[in-house]
Amino acid sequence: DSVRIYTYAFAPPPVISSTSTGTGNNLMNTTYSFVHCDDIVPRLSLHSVKWLLGRVRLIDGLNATLMQRFNAIADPMGKGRALREKVEEIMEQRLPSSRNRAASLLPHVQVPGKVFLLPRRKLVTSQRIFLPLKRARMLSHRNRPGARWAKPSDLDKLLILPQAIADHMPKQYENVLNEMLA
């Protein structure tokens, strides 16, 4: 008679190979991972760093101003959208050869188990003081109204976002869980 142990992981790093068998499959079936919004740690792997570095190098080589390049990295859905789309188009053309090279060199790992993506909790007044009003409104409504199950591919890309480190703080996890359970 065996005992089943379940694991509840908060902000876990990607450690399980996507091709795991045996123990890896068992771990995937008995682990529940919780990820808060744009938390950087669950997205931080050699594979995602290589993905980001490839895009940063490409953006750096484009004929664009420093501010345009910065926006393409830090604000890819806003002011940097046009340059980001150009980078993605170039990367798609290079993809077959670079994907095969990357797959042979770097193991593709993911967050273990079933991943539950937690929403951003409402920003309190003191947090809004440090953010432009438009940015505060965007952050307060992102990923609302509730949490959702995520696919491993949802956490494959490492993005440079101002809230990525703040989202990793234990107090953020505690606050959003308390808000959801209230």
Side-chain angles (χ1 to χ4, degrees):
D1 193 33
S2 65
V3 175
R4 254 189 118 113
I5 298 174
Y6 290 89
T7 304
Y8 297 90
F10 294 88
V15 294
I16 297 294
S17 170
S18 56
T19 59
S20 293
T21 58
T23 304
N25 278 340
N26 191 32
L27 188 61
M28 295 299 278
N29 293 325
T30 60
T31 302
Y32 294 90
S33 294
F34 296 85
V35 176
H36 180 240
C37 289
D38 299 315
D39 187 341
I40 193 169
V41 172
R43 293 169 172 84
L44 197 55
S45 68
L46 288 175
H47 187 272
S48 65
V49 169
K50 184 178 183 339
W51 178 88
L52 178 62
L53 188 56
R55 277 149 181 80
V56 169
R57 283 183 179 155
L58 188 57
I59 289 168
D60 198 38
L62 294 175
N63 186 18
T65 67
L66 181 61
M67 188 53 99
Q68 288 171 325
R69 287 183 274 168
F70 176 78
N71 284 332
I73 295 168
D75 188 17
M77 300 312 285
K79 293 178 183 175
R81 184 179 208 131
L83 191 56
R84 181 193 56 82
E85 288 172 355
K86 183 176 180 178
V87 167
E88 292 304 318
E89 183 180 311
I90 294 169
M91 291 304 285
E92 281 299 316
Q93 293 169 359
R94 295 181 180 180
L95 199 57
S97 62
S98 65
R99 181 179 283 163
N100 292 337
R101 258 196 330 272
S104 65
L105 298 174
L106 300 173
H108 188 266
V109 292
Q110 63 191 42
V111 169
K114 296 173 181 95
V115 180
F116 200 59
L117 197 56
L118 299 172
R120 183 170 313 287
R121 64 188 279 269
K122 291 181 183 176
L123 293 174
V124 294
T125 306
S126 62
Q127 290 171 301
R128 289 189 180 148
I129 292 171
F130 300 105
L131 295 170
L133 184 58
K134 182 179 176 184
R135 182 81 176 147
R137 280 193 197 124
M138 182 186 81
L139 290 177
S140 66
H141 291 86
R142 187 164 181 187
N143 292 330
R144 289 224 167 262
R148 67 177 176 88
W149 292 107
K151 301 176 296 221
S153 60
D154 292 343
L155 304 175
D156 269 355
K157 294 177 175 56
L158 182 61
L159 303 173
I160 298 174
L161 299 169
Q163 67 274 15
I165 294 173
D167 282 348
H168 181 68
M169 298 297 125
K171 194 68 176 167
Q172 294 291 339
Y173 278 82
E174 181 183 348
N175 290 340
V176 77
L177 288 171
N178 284 336
E179 187 176 286
M180 289 175 67
L181 295 173

